């Protein structure tokens, strides 16, 4: 790249990837002695300094920090990322930053609305511009923008496709890669060569007004058809992802009940994906896409818990008397911080403490502990108890009462003890006799003589009482699913011999004991002698280099390994500030997580994080379940 050059980078229309392309150009402007500069006015979140940066980048970071103390500066690999306000105030700070780059190149990434203010500022003197544009949708607009820049004397290049995901992340880290180097080699001569006219890539059209008008008319139908196809793809992908979100607890539930019989709630992965596929096709057809024109796949289907769906829609649409060919692609998925569909805290009237679940029905933790003991006794007698109904909010009770307005069978809202999370409707019918004879041994009584299935728990605090709220928070009875993450409790699946040392490690390093327990379950199923093909060892699956870094001499000693695990997780939580990101970094290493500030897109890592968060949800260790869909078109 030409020394001292200034390049503008912006997006046209809805095109994405301009920021990564700008970072790639900043990398291209760097060498051993000079750091590139990326001045970012896009309004996107400012990045942190990367773990690895060149000496030149760190030196430039120090100069910028001194002269622009209010701005955010981060050295990232081969360049410095300077984040300025996305307004006129940010534009006015650019001239103060440019001389500090000395003879290296500066790249300005900015939104289209700031192009005119930047070009009007005489102290900036940009020499070239790169437009990130999707020509299939925005060819006329791209031609107009490029033409205007050419008239101003700028060299122009159009980037038709964004960098790939991985290359883009490397570019933003300031690390050279095949994608980054390839982009730089293709564009730097066109943008900053010593000779040659400004170049518009692949526009292939005249700038005459008549030609422009004809182009707009010609693509209008295609754009409309594209929009319809994209909507069908988006909704198909969303529907598949929502199906997977709803079915994930069933996928993660055990395939067999404690008595060895098949668990009717469990879903095998094939059925889980088949249901998601059917939901996607139904949504596509409901939005005018023929089933033959929609293809649905699951990019991470090989993972333990697939969470992503991809929908591709192709076909011919008839618009205004003409046939238009259209195609669209969308991906959607539940983010990996999703933790289940059932709330971990009760609300809606009555009891408002933590809930744990049996057969998908919520109850107070002490009620669940008593039910577990009763179910185990029933299993010894050849019966498998099933919870058909548990906690119900006042709103749910109102709907039930409206459907069956007979207070003999359904209590009015505000009166039912189900709102107190102490009441269970149990089955099957073959167990009614056993329950009548044995339930009182475990603290349950049959509430009404005419309801052989309805049992209430009376051995703990009274229903819907202040004592119940206090008792639920500490998981009375000791046999339930565990405590909230902050209370120091452990899920019931933790082996007894490991509970005390795990609590000590969690307390020493100030990490949630429930989080560590779920992580060990996912890593090794609490097997102190576990090994992996990748060389990970012990209950916490440390690789030798990480073990050495944390002073772990014997990874097969569970107490020593759990202490090192808690130490490492403490560091990762401090670095990333989010349990999902810390778990991803534990599994895949911190570099790919830092590159995107997200759970890295490795199927194994996404499945790993999903499983741990699902285990935590079952343990009552997380209290704010959320769901969102991300689309990539």
């Amino acid at each position: 790249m030409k020394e001292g050059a200034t390049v503008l980078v912006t997006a046209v229309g809805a095109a994405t990837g301009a920021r990564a392309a700008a970072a790639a150009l900043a990398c291209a402007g760097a060498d051993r002695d000079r750091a590139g500069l990326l001045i970012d006015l896009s309004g996107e979140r400012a990045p942190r300094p990367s773990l690895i940066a060149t000496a030149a980048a760190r030196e430039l970071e120090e100069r910028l920090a001194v002269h622009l103390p209010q701005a955010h500066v981060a050295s990232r690999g081969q360049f410095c990322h300077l984040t300025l306000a996305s307004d006129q105030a940010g534009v006015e700070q650019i001239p103060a930053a440019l001389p500090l780059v000395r003879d290296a190149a500066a790249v300005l990434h900015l939104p289209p609305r700031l192009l005119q203010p930047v070009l009007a500022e005489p102290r900036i003197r940009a020499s070239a511009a790169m437009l990130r544009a999707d020509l299939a949708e925005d060819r006329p607009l791209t031609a107009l923008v490029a033409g205007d820049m050419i008239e101003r004397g700028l060299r122009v290049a159009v980037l038709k496709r964004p960098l790939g995901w991985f290359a883009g992340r490397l570019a933003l880290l300031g690390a050279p890669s095949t994608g980054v180097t390839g982009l730089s080699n293709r564009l730097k001569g066109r943008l900053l060569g010593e000779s040659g006219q400004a170049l518009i890539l692949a526009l292939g059209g005249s700038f005459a007004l008549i030609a422009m008008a004809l182009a707009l008319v010609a693509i209008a139908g295609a754009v409309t058809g594209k929009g319809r196809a994209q909507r069908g793809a988006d909704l198909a992908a969303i529907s598949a992802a929502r199906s997977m979100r709803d079915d994930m607890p069933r996928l993660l539930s055990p395939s067999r009940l404690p008595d060895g019989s098949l668990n009717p709630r469990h879903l095998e992965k094939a059925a889980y994906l088949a249901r998601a596929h059917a939901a996607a096709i139904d949504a596509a057809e409901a939005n005018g896409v023929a089933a033959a024109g929609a293809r649905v796949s699951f990019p991470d289907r090989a993972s333990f818990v697939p969470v992503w769906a991809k929908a591709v829609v192709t076909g011919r649409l008839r618009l205004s008397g003409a046939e238009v060919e259209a195609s669209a692609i969308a991906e959607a998925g539940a983010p990996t911080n999703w933790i289940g569909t059932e709330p971990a805290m009760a609300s809606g009237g009555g009891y408002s403490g933590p809930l744990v679940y049996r057969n998908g029905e919520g109850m107070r933790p002490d009620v669940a502990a008593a039910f577990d003991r009763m179910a185990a006794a029933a299993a010894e007698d050849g019966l498998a108890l099933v919870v058909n109904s548990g906690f119900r909010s006042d709103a749910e009770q109102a709907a039930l009462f409206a459907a069956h307005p007979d207070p003999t069978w359904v209590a009015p809202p505000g009166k039912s003890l189900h709102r107190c999370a102490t009441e269970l409707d149990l089955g099957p019918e073959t167990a009614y006799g056993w329950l009548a004879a044995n339930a009182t041994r475990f603290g349950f009584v049959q509430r009404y003589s005419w309801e052989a299935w309805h049992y209430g728990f009376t051995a703990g605090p009274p229903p819907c009482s202040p004592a119940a709220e206090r008792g639920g928070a500490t998981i009375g009875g000791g046999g339930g699913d565990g405590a909230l993450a902050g209370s120091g409790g452990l899920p019931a699946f933790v082996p007894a011999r490991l509970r005390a040392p795990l609590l000590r490690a969690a307390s020493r390093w100030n990490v949630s004991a429930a989080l560590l327990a779920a992580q060990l379950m996912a890593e090794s199923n609490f097997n102190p002698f576990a090994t992996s093909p990748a060389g990970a060892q012990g209950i916490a699956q440390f690789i030798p280099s990480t073990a050495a870094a944390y002073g772990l001499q014997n990874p097969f000693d569970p107490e020593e390994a759990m202490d090192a695990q808690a130490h490492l997780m403490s560091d990762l939580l401090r670095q990333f500030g989010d349990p999902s990101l810390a778990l991803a970094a534990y599994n895949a290493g911190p570099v790919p997580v830092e590159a995107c500030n997200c759970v890295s897109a490795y199927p194994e890592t996404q499945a790993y994080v999903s499983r741990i968060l699902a285990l935590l949800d079952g343990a009552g260790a997380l209290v704010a379940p959320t769901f969102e869909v991300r689309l990539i078109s």
Side-chain angles (χ1 to χ4, degrees), residues 520-540:
L520 291 172
M521 182 77 165
E523 288 285 358
S524 65
N525 199 23
F526 296 100
N527 178 6
F529 306 106
T531 59
S532 79
Q537 299 173 328
I539 193 171

Side-chain angles (χ1 to χ4, degrees), residues 587-602:
N587 178 263
V591 173
V593 177
E594 185 183 49
C596 65
N597 197 34
C598 68
V599 176
S600 45
Y602 307 137

Side-chain angles (χ1 to χ4, degrees), residues 186-262:
R186 291 197 306 274
L187 293 179
K188 65 182 180 182
R190 291 165 178 161
L191 291 174
L192 302 166
E194 295 296 335
S195 61
Q197 289 188 328
L199 177 65
I200 301 177
L201 302 179
L203 289 178
S206 168
F207 290 102
L209 291 178
I210 294 177
M212 186 62 67
L214 290 175
L216 288 170
V217 172
I219 69 169
V223 169
T224 305
K226 169 72 174 178
R228 292 189 181 184
Q230 188 66 59
R231 182 183 64 183
D234 292 349
L235 292 174
I238 289 172
S239 297
R242 187 173 297 275
S243 172
M244 290 190 286
R245 178 205 69 174
D246 293 341
D247 284 343
M248 191 183 293
R250 298 185 61 188
L251 176 68
L252 292 168
S253 66
S255 59
R256 293 190 177 272
L257 297 171
D259 65 348
S261 62
L262 293 175

